[in-house]
Amino acid sequence: MSSCGVPKGYVECCGGLLAGCEASGPDAKCVDDPTDSCSPDRGADCPGICQ
């Protein structure tokens, strides 16, 4: 576990590229999830992951 109680290796999902990443820390950003078939390059507001 990390110091905030989140399991090590946990990837926080975000509800689209405009959503925040509160649990991942102040420097985390919502980026496209490369493992799904949704592509923001095609104009979609895809779910993402926090990095």
Side-chain angles (χ1 to χ4, degrees):
M1 293 265 191
S2 70
S3 61
C4 64
V6 177
K8 187 174 183 173
Y10 168 82
V11 176
E12 181 183 5
C13 297
C14 35
L17 297 176
L18 300 177
C21 295
E22 295 83 22
S24 294
D27 295 329
K29 292 187 174 40
C30 188
V31 298
D32 183 41
D33 181 353
T35 64
D36 68 16
S37 61
C38 186
S39 175
D41 293 335
R42 290 185 239 151
D45 186 22
C46 302
I49 56 174
C50 296
Q51 291 184 335

